[in-house]
Amino acid sequence: MSSAGPADAHDEGGKQKQPSQATRLIQLADDLVDVVAGTDGRAYATARTGTARHIAFPLKGQRGLRARLARFYTEECGSVPSQSALTDVTAVLEGRAMDLEPRPVALRLATHQGRVVLDLGGADGRCVIAGPDGWQVTTDSPVLFRRTGLTSPIPAPGEPGRTEAGIGRLRSLLNVDEAGLRLVVGWLVSGLIPDMPHPIFAARGEQGTGKSTALAMLTNLIDPSPAPLRSLPKDQKSWATTASASWAVCLDNVSTIAPWLSDTLCKAVTGEGVVDRALYSDDDVTVLSFRRLLSMTSIDTGALASDLTERLLPVEFLPIKRDQRRTDASLQQAYQDATPDILAALLDLLCQVLEELPRTHLPELPRMADFARVLGALDRVTGWSTLDTYLAATEVTTSDLLDARPFTAAVAAMVEEAGEFTGTIGQLMEVVPPPEPRPKSWPVDATRAAGQLKRDAPVLRAVGITVEDAGRSRDRHRSKLYRIALQGEHPQNPQRPTPGPAPDRGGDQEGRDFSAHETTPAPPGPASAEPAPEPATTAENPQATGAGGSWGAAEADAAQLSNGDTPAPVEAGTCRTCHRTYRRYRRGTGYGDQCASCALGVPPPDNSPG
């Protein structure tokens, strides 16, 4: 009696064996979907038939292929597949995806051959394709999109060509002035272009100005979500999970921004990648890479980092009069009625901006250069002046940032009084004493002071003060020297140094990042000038000069605060607050008849006249 071979398809009773659940599930998957390998390292599936063939869904999860296969199997076979069979099928399909060429899978927005594709998020798979020649709604998307639990449908846009009417309906929903409205329109149009950094829309205003309601409506215009307003994340991982699930993210009621979140928001503007260990794995990782359209509401965020401030688009919301208030239900109804026309107007402007961008060239570019070019193109097609408004708003933000940095503000006040400083960080901390009580942000040592000065150098440069590398001191400590001066001021007839080697500029290049141009050694004095006398010595410090004896040996023979032949001041007088004599070396400071220290609210430097 011979045993059955491996190819025998019958059981011991002679009946034909039924295929396993896993085999039936694989057959269903082959009939219904195609497997896709995403450039994000994940495996997706797309339907073979229907109008939503460009919608890629993951293999796992509540919205994934696993749940769909379980439903199809139950409908066809009348029984529920086992979890082990579903797991086996998912593993097989993931293995197939490993052999495929990766394809980009976008979230809500994508670009294709110079055009923008907007996923409307509906079950019918419709999308909007916009280009320089116009826009249209279609079900034939040239790119793949993924959707998450935060992806809600966008209402179909209205008729094209009614731009003014659409912008007018948006104006009726927002409590901002005309300049602010145009900035909002510029931000929304740029938000429809995914392949560029976007500034963080910062809605500011006192309580009751409608900031949260307005930001929820603006966010839902481009990327509707069941939760358009989010709370501040508690850590990096929770932020990455939330931000990776939607294109537009709005943080509501921001009071303070922690340093780690400030850095995270900056990276999300320019493009961020988060690496984490894969679940149930020891050596594999998952990567979340994204660039997002961010916004936030706040009354006062407090002191912000300079790099985050440069990425903000501040818009002030106005108080709402009592006779102009509306109920939430009536406002939401007005928004729903206006959404198609507003979206159509934004798409009209997007097409015109895409056509104008190649011909838009700005003489100078701010930090958010791509956004500035979009505003420049928008101004050309509308006749507005949003770019000028944006640049003016960023200047105000920079001034606010200086007020929130006591140490940097004190350095600025010292330079305003003295015209120039050249020396070490230790010397700088001596001539700029901390106020009482000492602010928490005031640096406690030279290392932290140097770091804060480096971080805030762009802020100082924005108010007309440069921070430059001035080489190394000539003593044995070789301390790094810095030159802090008003822009446009250069040393005139500087003191000739004592005999010895010139300041070393080749051993440390870190300080060169402080300013927009590279510094050079100070020019020598006139050929006929008398050589400087040898420095006097003291018993306590044989190598110290008389003027620098109080600095100690570590600061000996370093360049000092400029007190020689400095340029003549353009303004001078007596401060009406502290009655000290002030001198100014540039006009237009806005300090009036006060010294810089009193005007900025910082203690006067030790070397200030008076």
Side-chain angles (χ1 to χ4, degrees), residues 501-584:
D504 181 10
R505 295 179 177 273
D508 193 339
Q509 301 294 322
E510 178 185 3
R512 299 187 185 275
D513 294 335
F514 274 117
S515 64
H517 60 276
E518 186 172 313
T519 60
T520 57
S528 61
E530 293 293 333
E534 293 293 330
T537 58
T538 62
E540 292 80 9
N541 189 358
Q543 296 187 9
T545 64
S550 61
W551 296 335
E555 308 291 351
D557 206 23
Q560 307 173 26
L561 178 67
S562 298
N563 56 6
D565 299 329
T566 56
V570 297
E571 294 179 7
T574 301
C575 177
R576 62 177 172 84
T577 303
C578 66
H579 306 295
R580 301 170 70 92
T581 301
Y582 63 81
R583 296 189 297 269
R584 294 184 186 136

Side-chain angles (χ1 to χ4, degrees), residues 198-202 204 232 239 251 254 256-270 294-296 298 301-314 367-368 390 394 397-398 401 405 455-456 458-459:
H198 307 82
I200 303 174
F201 187 96
R204 295 176 175 176
L232 286 178
W239 160 258
L251 301 178
V254 177
T256 57
I257 297 181
W260 73 266
L261 182 58
S262 176
D263 296 339
T264 297
L265 294 176
C266 291
K267 291 185 290 183
V269 168
T270 55
L294 304 178
S295 59
M296 65 180 182
S298 67
T301 56
L304 298 178
S306 58
D307 53 351
L308 178 62
T309 302
E310 291 182 339
R311 292 172 170 85
L312 290 183
L313 174 63
R367 179 67 176 268
M368 303 301 297
Y390 168 64
T394 56
T397 301
T398 301
L401 179 62
R405 295 288 192 275
R455 287 191 301 271
D456 292 343
V459 181

